[in-house]
Amino acid sequence: MAGDVDHCPSVQEGLNYLVASHKTTPVMVRGKGIEVEDEEGRKYFDLDGGPGVLATGHCHPKVVGAIQKQAETMMQAPGRFHSRLAMGLAKRISELTNGKQRRVFFVNSGAEANDGAVKLAMKFATVSGKRGYGILALEHGFHGRLSLPLALTGLPGLKRGFGPYASFPGVVHVTPPYFYRCRFGSRTLEECGARAVQAVRDAIRFRAPGEFAMMIAEPIIGNSGVIVPPDNYWPQVAEICLENKILLIADEVFVGMGRTGRAFAHQHWGISPSIVTFAKAIGGGLPLGGFIATDEVAKAFESNDHNTTFGSNNQVGLAAGHAVLDVIEEEKLIERAAGAGDRMLENFRRLQAQFPYIGDVRGKGLVIGLEVVRDREGKEPAANLAKVVQDNLLKCGVIIGVGGVFGNVLRMSPALTISDAEIDHVMELFRRGLAMSG
Ligand code: PMP
């Protein structure tokens, strides 16, 4: 059985060899499409999907085939030489931005993508004569757990105990438009958006360390509870950034590559960031990420300003990236994400009517959040109940994530390949899991 192959007879023993593992049982051993199977042979619908990694599902035959073929051809290109796979994938990603962003730097993960994007924006600030290196970011935003990305992350709980590792000079966090729990006390979506826009203006006026060189943000805040901003937010923030020569970096590590029903989520609002970061879905399950910048900004990096051993040399990851984009195109997964997302949201709204502890249902395409509360009026976050629901759903054969600023949001980011029949089936299982919970 899998245990023998892995030299680990029991989970109890295996845990002695891992640093601070937060994983749980059962032990998953294989996956296909939307399903995964544990070592006892039980199957589950994986609505977490990585999270956000498995745009093309578990082990899509085209992705697997591309990986196998490339593994037999060349795994790592000698670093000094051009790679057709890298150049070709960069061109295809640029096409997904309609050419608005042009040049790509490939890395291994989301945190590295954000780290590199900020480094590039710093260099651009230097060459363009900015009088400051300040960084605007959003409270509740998540940008990774390496030192700089953790400093950009607007979740204090993740920084506790790490001293200067989790801070970086000049980072200022502003309040995002989180309408369900609007910190500005707004009554309407539009007002919430306008107040959050004003918060950006105020930060630039009153809190800039010298000048802000850049703003980094998730267009839709994913990990911290799928916070979809009102439509008036991003167009105005992008305008403010432009007026103040602040480079906008869109962190699309979670919501990019078609997940929200557009190639990149920022495209819902017609804005054009200077840099867009991506990871997760592009590798189809292999570690691959990157950032794509406008031609002008990208040229701030001179040769050898930035490098990484894998990145554009990791031929297997890049081959997987091509296969992922092939599948997204051939199976029209961007359109599918929009349609499947609407179907799921509609179903969840129906469930919300039956279960008063579901306070809010929100999402765009196939990134969906359900906020679990003590009661609808008070909206008090119910993190413990969210965990109970997660456990009960597992018993019913459904895997979801739990996230959010208060740890009370049921979070889903399934494969974009999910069919209507699978959605209908999983919704029935979901109803059962909710009914068991409260
Ligand atoms: N940015 C966002 C928006 C993310 O959701 C994540 C991962 N959840 C990261 C960055 C970090 O990516 P990684 O775990 O690959 O470093």
Side-chain angles (χ1 to χ4, degrees):
M1 183 79 227
D4 301 329
V5 177
D6 298 336
H7 301 278
C8 175
S10 74
V11 169
Q12 223 40 43
E13 186 200 344
L15 284 176
N16 293 323
Y17 295 93
L18 294 174
V19 174
S21 172
H22 60 280
K23 312 282 188 213
T24 183
T25 45
V27 178
M28 300 297 176
V29 288
R30 59 180 64 81
K32 187 85 197 147
I34 196 83
E35 277 189 353
V36 286
E37 192 180 318
D38 69 19
E39 56 188 356
E40 311 296 333
R42 246 199 110 198
K43 290 190 174 157
Y44 306 81
F45 274 96
D46 182 6
L47 292 188
D48 187 39
V53 173
L54 297 158
T56 54
H58 289 275
C59 300
H60 192 290
K62 288 225 162 129
V63 178
V64 172
I67 290 170
Q68 282 172 336
K69 185 163 166 246
Q70 190 56 43
E72 288 166 4
T73 310
M74 180 168 62
M75 292 210 219
Q76 172 84 352
R80 219 154 45 84
F81 302 97
H82 288 303
S83 153
R84 269 199 202 288
L85 286 176
M87 292 183 292
L89 189 60
K91 180 165 182 260
R92 293 180 76 179
I93 293 169
S94 178
E95 282 162 6
L96 290 177
T97 75
N98 300 317
K100 288 191 172 152
Q101 290 81 26
R102 168 83 73 77
R103 293 174 187 266
V104 176
F105 190 98
F106 288 108
V107 297
N108 311 289
S109 69
E112 276 182 65
N114 289 329
D115 192 294
V118 169
K119 185 177 172 187
L120 173 62
M122 288 286 180
K123 185 74 193 295
F124 186 78
T126 299
V127 300
S128 63
K130 266 263 162 181
R131 288 166 307 194
Y133 292 89
I135 307 175
L136 270 169
L138 294 182
E139 289 164 3
H140 319 332
F142 183 84
H143 301 292
R145 295 182 191 244
L146 300 180
S147 181
L148 173 58
L150 192 53
L152 304 170
T153 291
L155 297 162
L158 300 187
K159 306 181 194 216
R160 237 162 257 146
F162 297 109
Y165 181 85
S167 64
F168 189 81
V171 177
V172 172
H173 287 99
V174 292
T175 306
Y178 180 5
F179 180 56
Y180 186 67
R181 299 184 183 282
C182 183
R183 299 257 302 285
F184 311 104
S186 309
R187 297 258 169 91
T188 64
L189 251 180
E190 185 142 75
E191 187 194 342
C192 176
R195 295 289 298 272
V197 168
Q198 189 57 37
V200 173
R201 272 199 206 95
D202 289 349
I204 293 170
R205 252 180 105 191
F206 303 122
R207 298 181 66 194
E211 282 181 0
F212 284 114
M214 68 196 84
M215 175 172 184
I216 182 163
E218 298 169 80
I220 294 171
I221 294 180
N223 272 275
S224 303
V226 190
I227 302 172
V228 184
D231 287 341
N232 59 349
Y233 183 70
W234 278 120
Q236 291 188 56
V237 170
E239 191 63 37
I240 293 169
C241 286
L242 208 61
E243 279 163 17
N244 291 278
K245 298 194 167 57
I246 292 169
L247 294 193
L248 184 57
I249 304 172
D251 176 347
E252 299 247 9
V253 166
F254 195 171
V255 293
M257 299 298 160
R259 173 151 302 283
T260 67
R262 294 284 173 98
F264 289 103
H266 69 263
Q267 294 167 343
H268 286 286
W269 296 284
I271 62 169
S272 189
S274 299
I275 310 178
V276 179
T277 64
F278 55 89
K280 290 188 185 275
I282 188 68
L286 293 188
L288 181 70
F291 56 89
I292 179 161
T294 61
D295 202 36
E296 184 197 6
V297 169
K299 282 178 173 160
F301 264 170
E302 292 164 90
S303 171
N304 218 27
D305 265 350
H306 201 45
N307 201 10
T308 177
T309 300
F310 295 115
S312 56
N313 302 320
N314 164 19
Q315 304 294 288
V316 184
L318 294 165
H322 277 279
V324 165
L325 294 190
D326 288 345
V327 174
I328 287 177
E329 265 170 45
E330 286 162 18
E331 299 185 17
K332 300 197 173 14
L333 293 185
I334 300 181
E335 295 84 339
R336 178 68 204 141
D342 286 347
R343 191 179 185 97
M344 287 185 78
L345 280 172
E346 212 176 281
N347 274 284
F348 281 130
R349 292 207 172 99
R350 247 180 259 141
L351 290 177
Q352 186 188 20
Q354 288 173 45
F355 297 96
Y357 65 81
I358 305 293
D360 195 27
V361 171
R362 52 182 184 252
K364 225 174 184 52
L366 283 173
V367 59
I368 294 175
L370 271 52
E371 191 142 347
V372 179
V373 292
R374 294 220 171 284
D375 64 282
R376 287 262 171 86
E377 287 69 41
K379 296 186 183 176
E380 194 189 328
N384 288 341
L385 182 54
K387 282 272 171 221
V388 170
V389 174
Q390 186 182 37
D391 290 346
N392 283 332
L393 282 170
L394 190 71
K395 287 181 199 145
C396 296
V398 181
I399 296 171
I400 60 158
V402 169
V405 190
F406 302 100
N408 67 322
V409 178
L410 313 178
R411 201 191 54 215
M412 283 150 279
S413 47
L416 314 188
T417 52
I418 191 168
S419 68
D420 283 352
E422 285 169 331
I423 291 175
D424 295 347
H425 183 55
V426 86
M427 281 298 160
E428 177 46 31
L429 300 177
F430 215 99
R431 196 195 54 73
R432 271 185 233 166
L434 292 179
M436 282 161 70
S437 308

